[in-house]
Amino acid sequence: MTDHLLNLHTDVLAAMRRAPKGFSRIAAGLSETDDGHDADLDVFRARLAANDPGLITVWSRSLAQWDAALTADWSSTPPCSDARRADVYALLRFDDDLSKALDAAVPVDKGPQPVVISESNQAWYTRDKALARAFYWPAYEDLLRGKGWSETAITSLSEAAHNVVERLADPARPEAYAARGLVVGYVQSGKTANFTGVIAKAMDAGYRLVIVLGGTLNLLRGQTQRRLDMELIGQENILRGADPDDIDALIGVDYQDDEDWPAKFVSHGGRPSHRGAFDIERLTTKDKDYQSLERGIRALDIEKVEKALPLHDPANLHHAAARVMVVKKNKSVLTKLVNDLKKIGPILGEVPALIIDDESDQASVNTTNPAAWEEGKANRSAINGLVCELLRLMPRAQYIGYTATPFANVFVDPDDSADLFPRDFLISLPRPAGYMGVEDFHDLHSDLPASERTVTTSQEAAHVRGIGEGTGDRLLEAMDAFVLAGALKLYRVANGVPEGAFRHHTMLVHESVRVADHAVLADRIRALWDSSYMSTESHLRLAALFEADHAPVCGARADGLPVPGSYEELRPHVSRARQLIASGGSPVLVVNGANEKDYAQPGLDFDRTPNVWKILVGGTKLSRGFTVEGLTVTYYRRKTQQADTLMQMGRWFGFRAGYRDLVRLYIGREEPFGKDKTLDLYEAFEAICQDEEAFRSELAQYAEMIDGEPQLTPRKVLPLVSQHLGLVKPTARNKMFNAELTEIRSPGRPIEPAAYPRDAAVIEANVKRWLPLLDVFGHAAQTLELPPDETSPLTRRFEARTSLIPHASLVAVLRQLEWEGDNHFAPHLNYLSKLDGELAKVDDWLLVAPQTTSNRRVEASLLGSAPTSLVRRKRQLDKAAFGRISGMEHRRWAESLIKEAGEDVNSARAGVMGVGPRTGIVLLYPVVDTSNDSGLLSAVTDGTADPKQVIMAFTVVSPTAANDSSNRLLRFRAMRSGSGPSE
């Protein structure tokens, strides 16, 4: 039976893809029924209330698109907000009842959005233009839908890709412009899906040559090629007219032995050129990188329909086929490509091209020493030089780098116009739904003492297993965890969970970069396997680990997935898991070496092999770019001092649908380091992750446009980031400090310095500078309450001593403080100093000294003050900076009180504390640099704290109105070469 109402709603929504309009007026013109029943809004509301799946699906697509549009000429409200949705309903002319029904059926997705830092760009990629020639993007959308992506996730990807494409140059513009940009994602978080969407939209818009720089090995390049072939290029472009039923015609066509061909490869329903679109010609295949052949030259020489007009003219552009190649970042391959491009001639300057640089911080960045450069000439490392040459040869080429570790790209000299600095835009992608990242392995925001954390309340307790002096190497335990996880996956399949997510099941062992070490380790694992899994004792050992580890973790975190009640119930699946892991004669695959043949192992091909259930032993090549499918257990003990290298080794991050509770990280906590030191790899990784999160947080905080102009541009990102993180020391290498950050305004937001002095004498001097305000320690303790909020439905309480101090008294102390290295607090102090009426007026500050819980409290006097509660905090590895100073509940209490005082001058809660709209809050902590109570006690003698060991650390939250009418948050001063700074 025809569903007239669903058909009508589908047609009406299709008619207003660009923007919402009066629904009833359009529906009346498109109605299929004589009585207009299908246009009746009351019938629509009733079907929404009945959870009609068809209607909810079509409305989910449109509402998600309208909600998420970053730029919308029909609404001035922020994306993904209730205000934006209200504008949508107003334009649709829906009443309150229907609006509420739609809200219930399709709630606004208020999750994190992309953060865009950009120069002002020429508006050319409008919604209408995006829709006008859309072909490859809708096909990609449908493929994702078929893979089970939600409408919200598809819309999020669409908007993120749109944000990128609209910042490229118009492919049809008469004058050439080559944009440079950077997209920052998360390790193993789906960056390939984003740049596939960008390529689809860019080709639909008119880009006709796409070059993807896909890794440094054919293994990685081949992964990327296959993804693009499967999800974007499609069957018809791969076959190039060959009859899929003619075996002879398929000779030389790749994927004929691929398990997913053709079922999972997108089909365009015929040759795209026969359907009013354009074909894609592949210049590389799954197994073949770019070849320097005559055919390659001719393939790049694009013919024009109107020969008197340039290729980028619309008369030629939209008739031309697109060329796509995925090439290694390899000197030989890129040299072949550059040489071929040089032979093509003038038409190359007419081709709108797009270069996607996957893992753009690897190999692409120039690593030569500027001190060795000839005057006025930059020397370039091999890959950097070749990529820059590609861009020189193609003046219409747009360059987009993709990375999860962006610091190297941000540090590129912006004044080197030929280099790859992202001068036009920097986009930070949101953490995707379902992604396991740093927050799933580290307790970054937990105020619970370590001794009170459980597998329910702690990510570390649930997923991380430390390796130290007292634990042994735990390698066999990690292998047992891998076997148990495999058995639990099989158990879930037997109990109705779809097996797709469990096709591959892997364990990664990463101890060294040395090939010889890998061989020894693989032999040891094989020996352990042969001796440890062939007896009754092995079941006793596995049962003990199941009861001690997997049973409680699964019980707390399985999220409704089947969990066996005992090991005996799991035991039959243990035997099958062992068989799968040992299939082919060995449970181990070694993945290393410098040659492609070292990686061309049938058992490692996640595409062609039905089930890869193996323990992978390897080094660098497994830690960068290569996706280890089904990764469940990681055994990691490799040391590195490079932040980006360490971050990229986080292969345990990724999507783990159906087995998040089974993921385990065995990681070294006391690895030998130097002559007489040990390194906690888990803490080192946490410190790097905090830096990455701080980078994203800084971008998000200052991304807001002011009067239609960006207050933060890509050129100003570096001084901002280095200011916050203390990452870079001024050297000859860092000519990119072309702007000095002089002021950071933070109304209503916490200012928390982190880089406190290490020198004992300076630490003591800072304590003395705080003395005029330490009377607060003698005030009576009171109980402060944090009401229920989005983080907890409970009221939380803590004890603190408080005192109200004048603004001038606080600033006088802050001005005297000394810091480690460069004074990164200076831009904040410049702001706070102006709150005397110059910028805004702050009368006083509530000084709050939180007290630790009574059962763990260590109190001591400080330079004659009343006794106060000392606090444990630990500096980040090899840094002056602490990871965090204020307790999360203390900070939330301060922010909520400041917000309440700013919104309601009669707030009783704020009034009791003496906090008004012109009062700020300072959280003050006497900190000892230690991670345990014994370290805290060692700083105290006879009730007196050693001032050389106590760091007076603080967090400042200024009033919400503490800014001028411009609402700017940042102020920079230009640095001109040879003449110093200028305003």
Side-chain angles (χ1 to χ4, degrees):
M1 182 178 177
T2 302
D3 189 336
H4 292 290
L5 187 141
L6 177 60
N7 289 345
L8 176 64
H9 281 243
T10 301
D11 292 342
V12 172
L13 291 173
M16 48 184 178
R17 284 282 298 273
R18 192 189 69 80
K21 301 173 184 175
F23 180 88
S24 295
R25 181 177 59 82
I26 299 174
L30 296 175
S31 176
E32 298 175 345
T33 59
D34 294 333
D35 59 3
H37 180 77
D38 55 355
D40 190 321
L41 295 183
D42 289 332
V43 176
F44 173 35
R45 183 169 54 247
R47 286 183 58 171
L48 284 175
N51 291 318
D52 184 290
L55 275 176
I56 289 174
T57 296
V58 296
W59 275 95
S60 292
R61 294 176 188 175
S62 293
L63 287 173
Q65 177 187 318
W66 294 328
D67 286 345
L70 190 64
T71 54
D73 55 14
W74 47 268
S75 175
S76 60
T77 57
C80 297
S81 64
D82 292 330
R84 170 65 65 83
R85 182 65 72 87
D87 278 359
V88 170
Y89 292 147
L91 290 168
L92 290 168
R93 299 182 183 174
F94 285 171
D95 63 22
D96 287 346
D97 288 342
L98 183 52
S99 299
K100 289 176 183 175
L102 265 172
D103 277 342
V106 187
V108 178
D109 175 26
K110 298 179 181 177
Q113 304 300 310
V115 174
V116 179
I117 305 297
S118 174
E119 296 284 357
S120 299
N121 62 295
Q122 182 183 30
W124 67 274
Y125 190 60
T126 63
R127 301 286 165 177
D128 288 337
K129 183 166 286 190
L131 290 169
R133 296 185 180 277
F135 181 82
Y136 285 97
W137 167 254
Y140 185 46
E141 246 186 341
D142 287 341
L143 179 131
L144 296 177
R145 212 166 268 128
K147 290 175 67 174
W149 281 47
S150 69
E151 293 302 324
T152 298
I154 292 171
T155 299
S156 176
L157 175 62
S158 175
E159 286 302 312
H162 188 98
N163 291 340
V164 174
V165 176
E166 71 178 347
R167 283 166 177 79
L168 307 178
D170 182 349
R173 67 184 278 171
E175 67 281 5
Y177 182 76
R180 305 278 193 276
L182 180 68
V183 178
V184 181
Y186 290 78
V187 173
Q188 301 277 87
S189 68
K191 295 187 295 297
T192 305
N194 183 276
F195 72 65
T196 301
V198 167
I199 293 170
K201 286 176 179 270
M203 288 195 306
D204 285 344
Y207 281 90
R208 286 299 176 262
L209 174 60
V210 177
I211 301 172
V212 179
L213 305 177
T216 58
L217 283 171
N218 210 44
L219 178 76
L220 311 182
R221 191 206 66 80
Q223 272 192 345
T224 303
Q225 178 85 51
R226 182 178 184 273
R227 281 282 298 274
L228 290 175
D229 285 345
M230 175 184 282
E231 300 183 349
L232 177 64
I233 293 172
Q235 298 176 35
E236 293 82 4
N237 287 315
I238 293 170
L239 291 169
R240 300 181 68 197
D243 183 351
D245 298 320
D246 184 344
I247 296 176
D248 293 333
L250 296 178
I251 295 173
V253 177
D254 44 355
Y255 301 116
Q256 299 312 299
D257 60 346
D258 191 302
E259 185 169 289
D260 292 329
W261 173 272
K264 292 186 180 180
F265 283 67
V266 66
S267 172
H268 300 298
R271 291 295 296 272
S273 56
H274 298 166
R275 303 194 65 231
F278 57 92
D279 294 335
I280 297 175
E281 183 169 346
R282 298 184 306 150
L283 305 185
T284 55
T285 68
K286 169 73 160 59
D287 299 317
K288 292 182 180 179
D289 204 338
Y290 182 78
Q291 303 292 316
S292 185
L293 302 171
E294 282 299 313
R295 178 186 166 276
I297 298 171
R298 288 198 304 273
L300 286 169
D301 192 3
I302 303 172
E303 291 190 9
K304 297 186 289 188
V305 175
E306 298 290 339
K307 297 188 183 301
L309 297 174
L311 178 67
H312 56 76
D313 188 283
N316 284 320
L317 191 61
H318 298 294
H319 296 285
R323 273 73 170 169
V324 174
M325 65 179 84
V326 183
V327 300
K328 289 194 299 290
K329 282 193 254 189
N330 172 279
K331 182 179 178 181
S332 173
V333 172
L334 290 177
T335 299
K336 292 175 186 176
L337 177 57
V338 165
N339 289 338
D340 275 358
L341 289 175
K342 288 178 178 177
K343 300 172 186 176
I344 289 176
I347 195 173
L348 197 58
E350 302 176 6
V351 180
L354 175 63
I355 297 178
I356 299 287
D357 189 351
D358 194 13
E359 307 291 354
S360 60
D361 60 312
Q362 183 190 32
S364 301
V365 175
N366 191 10
T367 56
T368 62
N369 184 359
W373 293 358
E374 296 178 23
E375 185 66 30
K377 182 180 179 182
N379 294 335
R380 302 199 182 280
S381 49
I383 302 302
N384 175 262
L386 287 162
V387 175
C388 291
E389 181 67 2
L390 284 176
L391 293 167
R392 187 189 68 78
L393 290 168
M394 297 184 293
R396 295 178 178 274
Q398 320 293 302
Y399 172 88
I400 309 172
Y402 277 79
T403 184
T405 48
F407 294 126
N409 300 89
V410 174
F411 293 165
V412 171
D413 183 356
D415 292 328
D416 183 355
S417 60
D419 209 343
L420 307 178
F421 179 77
R423 64 191 180 210
D424 294 282
F425 63 88
L426 192 160
I427 296 178
S428 176
L429 300 176
R431 170 187 162 115
Y435 174 72
M436 284 191 81
V438 59
E439 295 177 356
D440 299 287
F441 293 90
H442 298 263
D443 299 323
L444 296 180
H445 306 302
S446 176
D447 285 323
L448 281 174
S451 59
E452 296 177 19
R453 297 177 191 177
T454 67
V455 295
T456 302
T457 60
S458 166
Q459 307 293 358
E460 181 180 351
H463 299 294
V464 181
R465 305 293 175 261
I467 304 168
E469 245 181 53
T471 66
D473 71 4
R474 301 187 82 167
L475 179 57
L476 180 59
E477 181 187 324
M479 293 167 62
D480 286 347
F482 178 57
V483 172
L484 285 172
L488 283 159
K489 290 178 180 181
L490 295 172
Y491 175 87
R492 287 175 180 175
V493 171
N495 284 273
V497 177
E499 63 181 339
F502 308 141
R503 172 182 169 184
H504 304 303
H505 175 60
T506 53
M507 172 179 172
L508 175 59
V509 180
H510 193 112
E511 275 195 343
S512 168
V513 295
R514 290 164 49 88
V515 172
D517 292 345
H518 298 160
V520 172
L521 181 57
D523 287 343
R524 184 173 167 230
I525 291 172
R526 290 188 191 97
L528 270 175
W529 183 270
D530 291 342
S531 64
S532 304
Y533 292 98
M534 305 300 172
S535 64
T536 304
E537 287 75 16
S538 67
H539 281 294
L540 296 175
R541 191 182 68 250
L542 290 166
L545 183 61
F546 175 80
E547 296 298 336
D549 187 330
H550 290 73
V553 175
C554 293
R557 295 173 175 263
D559 197 24
L561 291 164
V563 179
S566 66
Y567 179 77
E568 286 306 310
E569 191 179 349
L570 182 66
R571 184 166 176 163
H573 303 287
V574 170
S575 299
R576 177 58 181 155
R578 291 190 309 201
Q579 291 173 4
L580 286 168
I581 294 166
S583 64
S586 174
V588 184
L589 285 176
V590 178
V591 187
N592 61 20
N595 299 313
E596 294 292 351
K597 62 182 178 59
D598 297 312
Y599 299 88
Q601 304 178 55
L604 188 63
D605 193 327
F606 292 106
D607 301 331
R608 293 187 173 99
T609 307
N611 302 100
V612 177
W613 281 50
K614 288 291 178 239
I615 301 170
L616 307 182
V617 174
T620 303
K621 299 304 186 291
L622 280 180
S623 69
R624 169 67 84 156
F626 182 65
T627 300
V628 180
E629 301 284 357
L631 182 60
T632 309
V633 177
T634 302
Y635 184 87
Y636 181 76
R637 300 185 70 178
R638 179 190 165 186
K639 300 172 287 295
T640 178
Q641 297 183 54
Q642 290 184 303
D644 59 346
T645 302
L646 187 61
M647 189 70 174
Q648 285 289 348
M649 288 175 187
R651 298 293 98 184
W652 50 91
F653 292 173
F655 298 93
R656 306 288 182 251
Y659 59 99
R660 290 172 69 97
D661 54 325
L662 309 182
V663 173
R664 296 292 183 273
L665 169 61
Y666 286 80
I667 190 166
R669 304 298 301 263
E670 296 177 286
E671 295 300 306
F673 183 67
K675 290 184 178 179
D676 54 358
K677 296 179 181 178
T678 61
L679 178 66
D680 187 329
L681 291 172
Y682 180 71
E683 282 192 0
F685 203 90
E686 181 172 300
I688 297 304
C689 291
Q690 286 177 325
D691 284 353
E692 298 285 348
E693 292 303 310
F695 175 79
R696 290 182 172 87
S697 176
E698 292 282 75
L699 295 183
Q701 184 170 349
Y702 304 114
E704 183 182 353
M705 304 279 278
I706 302 294
D707 296 330
E709 292 295 323
Q711 58 178 325
L712 180 64
T713 61
R715 280 178 170 264
K716 294 176 179 177
V717 165
L718 177 61
L720 172 65
V721 171
S722 64
Q723 199 78 27
H724 184 86
L725 302 176
L727 287 174
V728 180
K729 296 178 181 178
T731 66
R733 171 69 175 139
N734 296 308
K735 294 186 299 180
M736 70 289 290
F737 274 99
N738 53 56
E740 178 188 1
L741 181 59
T742 60
E743 194 174 307
I744 302 178
R745 303 174 185 178
S746 306
R749 298 179 64 94
I751 299 170
E752 188 168 278
Y756 288 90
R758 293 180 183 274
D759 183 86
V762 179
I763 291 171
E764 181 178 19
N766 276 352
V767 175
K768 291 177 179 177
R769 290 161 181 147
W770 275 99
L771 267 179
L773 304 182
L774 297 191
D775 289 350
V776 66
F777 294 158
H779 290 208
Q782 54 185 305
T783 301
L784 306 182
E785 291 189 350
L786 173 61
D789 58 17
E790 67 278 3
T791 65
S792 173
L794 304 175
T795 297
R796 287 139 293 171
R797 298 174 176 85
F798 63 94
E799 286 189 8
R801 305 178 192 277
T802 67
S803 174
L804 209 59
I805 59 173
H807 172 73
S809 299
L810 175 67
V811 172
V813 170
L814 298 182
R815 279 180 174 153
Q816 299 176 64
L817 298 179
E818 294 181 66
W819 303 90
E820 185 74 11
D822 297 331
N823 186 358
H824 299 302
F825 182 61
H828 299 289
L829 180 59
N830 289 340
Y831 160 63
L832 295 171
S833 299
K834 291 182 179 180
L835 300 183
D836 58 358
E838 179 183 348
L839 181 71
K841 188 74 170 79
V842 172
D843 295 328
D844 44 30
W845 296 83
L846 181 67
L847 188 61
V848 181
Q851 307 295 290
T852 54
T853 53
S854 56
N855 61 329
R856 304 180 71 240
R857 187 176 300 168
V858 175
E859 289 191 333
S861 173
L862 196 58
L863 294 180
S865 75
T868 191
S869 175
L870 302 182
V871 178
R872 292 180 294 110
R873 293 289 186 268
K874 188 69 179 166
R875 295 184 198 262
Q876 295 182 13
L877 183 73
D878 291 334
K879 292 186 179 183
F882 290 87
R884 175 168 58 88
I885 296 297
S886 58
M888 292 305 297
E889 290 186 358
H890 305 160
R891 183 189 291 192
R892 291 189 187 110
W893 173 85
E895 288 182 276
S896 68
L897 197 65
I898 287 290
K899 184 171 186 275
E900 197 169 314
E903 293 175 345
D904 181 7
V905 294
N906 298 314
S907 164
R909 177 169 165 253
V912 168
M913 300 303 303
V915 175
R918 300 205 311 198
T919 303
I921 295 177
V922 181
L923 301 171
L924 185 63
Y925 298 87
V927 165
V928 177
D929 182 6
T930 182
S931 58
N932 52 58
D933 290 343
S934 60
L936 207 60
L937 291 168
S938 69
V940 179
T941 303
D942 297 330
T944 299
D946 179 359
K948 291 183 172 63
Q949 297 186 57
V950 178
I951 298 155
M952 298 305 297
F954 60 92
T955 301
V956 178
V957 186
S958 60
T960 55
N963 201 356
D964 61 17
S965 58
S966 74
N967 290 323
R968 286 193 174 277
L969 300 179
L970 303 173
R971 195 164 66 85
F972 293 87
R973 181 169 54 176
M975 302 294 289
R976 292 178 180 168
S977 177
S979 60
S982 64
E983 290 292 344

